[in-house]
Every structure is written in structure tokens, then in C-alpha cells.
Amino acid sequence: MEKYVIKGGVPLVGEVEIGGAKNAALAILAAATMTDETVYIDNMPDESDTNAMLQAIASTGAFVDRVGRHEVKINASQVNNFTIEDYIKKIRASYYLLGAFLGKYKQAGVVLPSGCNIGLRPIDQHIKGFTALGAQVNIEHGIIDAHADRLVGNHIYLDVVSVGATINIMMAAVLAEGKTIIENAAKEPHVVDFANFLNSMGANIKGAGTDVIRIRGVEKLHGTEYTIIPDQIEAGTFMLAAAATKGDITVKNVIPKHLESISAKLVEMGCQIHESDDAVRVVATRRLQNTHVKTLPYPGYPTDMQPQITVALGLASGISIVTESIFENRFKYVDELTRMGANIKVEGSTAIIEGVDMYTGAVVSAPDLRAGAALVIAALTAEGYSTIEDIQYIERGYEDFDAKLRELGGQIEKVDCDRDIQKFKMKHA
Ligand code: EPZ
């Protein structure tokens, strides 16, 4: 199994180019199957989750042409398999094919999603939405099956703000008869990007980015050419890496507005933030200060950035409190961080962090995607060598993570045997 081996202690300095947003891409790829015409998608991240989604789409009979590392053409005119079982089991976003196929073909089956183990992750709101539009949804033998004779628009109030349910209901509603209103909708940048994508295919969606999304059903969707927005979470991860390593990183190709909640926290922690049209520079020259963070739906501080800021606050002066309000199981990495010297106590959904002067290198294992990235940041600050195991989680959502960190001066390599770890240690002795 591949691992990262890291020697910490070097401030990260330089520029890093941010790729397309994984969580927008997963929804957009699924929705590209909703027309018989060809859809061209650019700025697609090359990550294991997006690649699994492409394989799943190909397994339905759709034509998938990877025209470049970040460009793909999809033509779904030959789809002949409406139950997706292969490839997709491991990616949670498999459920987007349910909304896409239900919307276009009025029938869909998908293996129950698993994805990162960060909490219970129910899908009742997706099912509530599909049912409100007239679908019958059954779960049998590990497969969710949804079908309808016709879908008719309805007024749907989401009991919890859910990115996945908002996107899935949009897909089922764009080709339904009449008008659908989604209230208490998610407002994340990728929800807006997804609505823009569907509108570029001829859908009629208004209000994405607000609490109320209004959709007027159209008869069919057409082909489009579309560029995915930059990844807010990849950008935020490098911003926190700058802060934690006392570095100076300019994250390029970003939408600074999407990063405001992260920038605001970094300012509270004593970093300098310089924004331009499509870049944000984070400069950290002294020890970070403590602050308190609560994860919330957008525009609040993102849950996908919770482990990274906890790692940075673990090195800050004073006591910080981080409250996770989206997923109940997102502090699993704290045990690993404790092995690197962190002083963090978790009580339910709250982490009480007493900052330490430094972490020390250790062998740790990534429990999920964002926590894995956070442990890499911790290792980059730590005294001595660390090994990060289970990096397949990190590769779900970060393209060339180790290469980008090396470009910034990080001493990190991907290895697959102990001999390579020894070689790395000799090289960086
Ligand atoms: C999306 O997950 C992202 N995944 C997650 O990113 C992200 O953490 C999350 O949104 C929150 O921003 C993708 O976009 C593929 P939710 P999703 O539905 O859609 C509850 C990453 O690291 N809920 O917005 O699954 C749920 O339990 C990943 O990139 C219900 O109760 O999240 C949670 O408490 C991990 N019933 C809250 O809503 C439902 O039917 C928000 O979840 C659906 C959700």
C-alpha cells in the first residue's frame, strides 16, 4: 500500500494552482447523462472519486471520452443499463446517478452509497424529494431503486440543509412537469455551479445560492460546454498548510469569495490575507493565536475544512474550541494527532484544543479524505519523520497533493515499501 513519508519543519512557500471542484464535478458528471447530445466538461479534477464516477457512467453504456487530463466528453445517447453496481460502491456521490437517471429515464437503481466514514449520513431527504415528485423509491438487497410513470413538480421543504439532496432533487425536477420549489436548500458554491451547468443544458433553475430554488420543468436538455469552478476545499487546505507551517502561500485560480469564512478565521489566528481577483495569499510569520470555530452550511465555516483548522489550532497559543455541527463522527483523526503530541480533548461534537509548541513525527493513518489531508499538514509542521498510511482516502479528493506540496518546499514523497522510506530518510537526514 502506498504511503506518504514526510520530514517536517519547513515553512511552505510559493504558489499553488487549484484544480476543479471535486464535489461540483461529481454532480456535473452525473447530470451530463441527462441529454442525448454530447457534453464537454473542462477543469475536471483527476482524482479517484471523479474517475470512479466516470467508470460508473461508462458502465451504463454512455460514451466517455477523456480528451485530456482535465477534459472529458460524455455522450449518453446509448445508455442501456439503469442499475449501477460496479465501480460506484465506494463513492457516496453515486447517488447523483439516481437523480440523473430518474429525471431523464424515470428509472434508476444505485448501490447504497458508503463514502468517507464521517457519520451516519442518511439519505432520507433525497428520498423525500423524489417521492414528492411522484417517484416510488425502494431499498432492497443493498440497492436503492427509484422509478416513476411521470414526475410532477412539487413544493419540497428540506428538514436539514443538504448539499446532496438539493442537487439530487434539482436533477429529478428539471425534466418534471411543472414547477418545483426547494425550500431550505443548500447554498454551497458547488450547488450554484451545478445549477449553472444544468441551465447551460437548457434547464430553468432560479435562486441557486439562496434558501429557495425554483425550477420550471423543461421537455429536454441539450449538449453544452462547461468549465467547473475551482475547488474551495483544496484551496482552503493549502491556506491552512501555510498557516500551520508558518509559511507564505499564494493559492491561485480560486474565487476568493468562496474562501471568506476560511480567510476570516485565519485573520483571527494572526495570519495576513491578501486577496486579488483570482488568488489569495496567506502569510503566517508568527505563532498562531487561538480562536473558536463552528462548522455550518455555506456561507458558514465548512465541515470539510474542520480537521485542517483543528491541526493548525493545535499549534496555536491558548485554548481553542472547534464544534462540528454537520457530521457527528468527524473527530476520529484526533487520536492520530494525539500520537503526534497534540493536546486535544473531544467531548461529543466539540474539540477542546490546548495548543502545543510543536508536533513530533509519528506513523499515523488517514481515517478519511479531509482528516488525511490535515494529518499531512500536521506532519509537515512536525519535528522529524512521519508516515501517513491509507493515503487512498486523500487521493479521493486531492490531485497531485504530494507534488503540489513539494513545489512549495514540503519534504514529502509517496512510497510503497519500507526500503523507500529508508531512502527518503537518508536523502533528508
Ligand atoms: C456533501 O456531502 C459533500 N460530498 C461532503 O464532502 C460535505 O462534507 C458535505 O456535503 C457537507 O458540505 C459531496 O458533495 C459528494 P449533506 P453530502 O447532505 O451531500 C444530513 C468531502 O470531504 N442529511 O449536505 O452527503 C447529514 O447527515 C465530502 O469532500 C440528512 O439528515 O452532505 C449531514 O448531517 C465528505 N438526510 C447534513 O445533512 C439526508 O437525506 C449535511 O449533509 C441528507 C443529509
Side-chain angles (χ1 to χ4, degrees), residues 22-23 26 92-93 95-96 118 121-126 160-164 188 190 303-304 326-327 330 369-370:
K22 170 191 75 114
N23 289 342
L26 290 167
R92 186 160 181 80
Y95 57 41
Y96 287 144
I118 52 179
R121 309 190 77 179
I123 53 163
D124 55 304
Q125 299 303 305
H126 305 235
V160 289
V161 180
S162 160
V163 170
E188 268 67 6
H190 46 288
T303 173
D304 290 349
I326 311 290
F327 292 111
R330 224 171 183 178
L369 162 60
R370 306 302 172 186

Side-chain angles (χ1 to χ4, degrees), residues 76-112:
S77 55
Q78 305 297 321
V79 166
N80 51 25
N81 169 24
F82 304 99
T83 301
I84 300 112
E85 293 184 66
D86 296 333
Y87 309 109
I88 204 103
K89 203 164 176 192
K90 287 254 179 288
I91 66 163
R92 186 160 181 80
S94 55
Y95 57 41
Y96 287 144
L97 284 166
L98 211 54
F101 280 17
L102 179 64
K104 169 127 196 270
Y105 301 104
K106 310 291 176 273
Q107 56 170 317
V110 164
V111 171
L112 259 177

Side-chain angles (χ1 to χ4, degrees), residues 236-425:
T237 301
F238 282 101
M239 289 167 73
L240 263 302
T245 63
K246 296 203 190 79
D248 177 349
I249 299 180
T250 302
V251 291
K252 294 174 70 180
N253 182 33
V254 297
I255 299 173
K257 179 145 188 50
H258 295 167
L259 302 168
E260 272 173 358
S261 63
I262 302 162
S263 298
K265 282 294 150 195
L266 287 173
V267 169
E268 286 173 25
M269 290 160 73
C271 299
Q272 292 162 36
I273 303 286
H274 306 277
E275 283 182 9
S276 59
D277 283 353
D278 64 352
V280 175
R281 179 176 169 204
V282 179
V283 187
T285 45
R286 51 199 166 89
R287 189 175 185 196
L288 299 172
Q289 293 154 28
N290 67 316
T291 190
H292 306 314
V293 181
K294 182 173 185 181
T295 63
L296 287 169
Y298 190 84
Y301 187 88
T303 173
D304 290 349
M305 286 298 305
Q306 180 265 100
Q308 300 90 319
I309 202 163
T310 301
V311 160
L313 289 172
L315 296 167
S317 59
I319 295 189
S320 304
I321 295 177
V322 173
T323 307
E324 171 57 59
S325 74
I326 311 290
F327 292 111
E328 68 282 3
N329 204 5
R330 224 171 183 178
F331 282 124
K332 276 188 304 178
Y333 65 91
V334 167
D335 283 346
E336 300 296 281
L337 201 54
T338 304
R339 299 172 55 223
M340 299 178 80
N343 187 355
I344 303 177
K345 201 169 148 207
V346 176
E347 283 180 8
S349 59
T350 302
I352 302 147
I353 305 160
E354 196 172 333
V356 294
D357 288 337
M358 70 160 76
Y359 295 135
T360 49
V363 178
V364 294
S365 141
D368 62 68
L369 162 60
R370 306 302 172 186
L375 290 172
V376 170
I377 295 175
L380 287 164
T381 71
E383 185 200 17
Y385 302 95
S386 297
T387 305
I388 315 286
E389 297 179 337
D390 290 327
I391 62 169
Q392 71 277 9
Y393 288 111
I394 301 173
E395 293 181 336
R396 294 177 73 148
Y398 291 92
E399 179 183 308
D400 297 340
F401 195 42
D402 53 327
K404 288 184 178 183
L405 290 166
R406 269 195 303 278
E407 283 285 303
L408 296 166
Q411 301 184 107
I412 172 169
E413 253 167 54
K414 200 191 304 189
V415 295
D416 60 8
C417 63
D418 288 346
R419 204 167 43 118
D420 288 345
I421 296 181
Q422 291 315 323
K423 268 201 223 157
F424 175 90
K425 287 186 176 173

Side-chain angles (χ1 to χ4, degrees), residues 6-330:
I6 294 170
K7 184 177 182 199
V10 179
L12 298 185
V13 176
E15 297 182 346
V16 62
E17 195 81 31
I18 300 306
K22 170 191 75 114
N23 289 342
L26 290 167
I28 285 172
L29 290 174
T33 64
M34 296 183 70
T35 173
D36 288 342
E37 297 178 18
T38 299
V39 172
Y40 167 85
I41 300 160
D42 196 5
N43 204 29
M44 199 199 55
D46 181 13
E47 296 158 349
S48 63
D49 271 15
T50 47
N51 292 333
M53 180 60 104
L54 283 172
Q55 285 177 306
I57 290 171
S59 79
T60 68
F63 179 68
V64 173
D65 182 9
R66 194 70 173 261
V67 278
R69 187 172 184 201
H70 301 124
E71 294 158 81
V72 65
K73 275 185 191 168
I74 294 175
N75 183 294
S77 55
Q78 305 297 321
V79 166
N80 51 25
N81 169 24
F82 304 99
T83 301
I84 300 112
E85 293 184 66
D86 296 333
Y87 309 109
I88 204 103
K89 203 164 176 192
K90 287 254 179 288
I91 66 163
R92 186 160 181 80
S94 55
Y95 57 41
Y96 287 144
L97 284 166
L98 211 54
F101 280 17
L102 179 64
K104 169 127 196 270
Y105 301 104
K106 310 291 176 273
Q107 56 170 317
V110 164
V111 171
L112 259 177
S114 44
C116 276
N117 181 10
I118 52 179
L120 280 176
R121 309 190 77 179
I123 53 163
D124 55 304
Q125 299 303 305
H126 305 235
I127 294 173
K128 171 177 164 176
F130 294 155
T131 310
L133 297 172
Q136 291 207 1
V137 185
N138 303 306
I139 301 181
E140 272 173 12
H141 309 297
I143 291 186
I144 317 173
D145 172 81
H147 60 270
D149 293 333
R150 53 193 277 247
L151 294 174
V152 181
N154 205 341
H155 197 132
I156 299 158
Y157 185 93
L158 294 179
D159 301 328
V160 289
V161 180
S162 160
V163 170
T166 303
I167 288 178
N168 238 341
I169 295 168
M170 274 198 261
M171 285 199 265
V174 284
L175 293 173
E177 296 165 35
K179 195 168 163 187
T180 296
I181 298 176
I182 309 173
E183 289 208 58
N184 201 25
K187 296 180 280 202
E188 268 67 6
H190 46 288
V191 173
V192 178
D193 197 43
F194 177 70
N196 289 340
F197 171 73
L198 278 180
N199 281 342
S200 80
M201 293 172 82
N204 183 347
I205 303 173
K206 296 205 167 90
T210 75
D211 297 317
V212 185
I213 297 180
R214 293 167 203 279
I215 302 160
R216 194 168 281 285
V218 295
E219 260 183 26
K220 61 177 191 165
L221 299 175
H222 54 70
T224 186
E225 294 188 0
Y226 195 80
T227 300
I228 295 171
I229 53 163
D231 197 307
Q232 173 205 18
I233 306 301
E234 186 195 13
T237 301
F238 282 101
M239 289 167 73
L240 263 302
T245 63
K246 296 203 190 79
D248 177 349
I249 299 180
T250 302
V251 291
K252 294 174 70 180
N253 182 33
V254 297
I255 299 173
K257 179 145 188 50
H258 295 167
L259 302 168
E260 272 173 358
S261 63
I262 302 162
S263 298
K265 282 294 150 195
L266 287 173
V267 169
E268 286 173 25
M269 290 160 73
C271 299
Q272 292 162 36
I273 303 286
H274 306 277
E275 283 182 9
S276 59
D277 283 353
D278 64 352
V280 175
R281 179 176 169 204
V282 179
V283 187
T285 45
R286 51 199 166 89
R287 189 175 185 196
L288 299 172
Q289 293 154 28
N290 67 316
T291 190
H292 306 314
V293 181
K294 182 173 185 181
T295 63
L296 287 169
Y298 190 84
Y301 187 88
T303 173
D304 290 349
M305 286 298 305
Q306 180 265 100
Q308 300 90 319
I309 202 163
T310 301
V311 160
L313 289 172
L315 296 167
S317 59
I319 295 189
S320 304
I321 295 177
V322 173
T323 307
E324 171 57 59
S325 74
I326 311 290
F327 292 111
E328 68 282 3
N329 204 5
R330 224 171 183 178

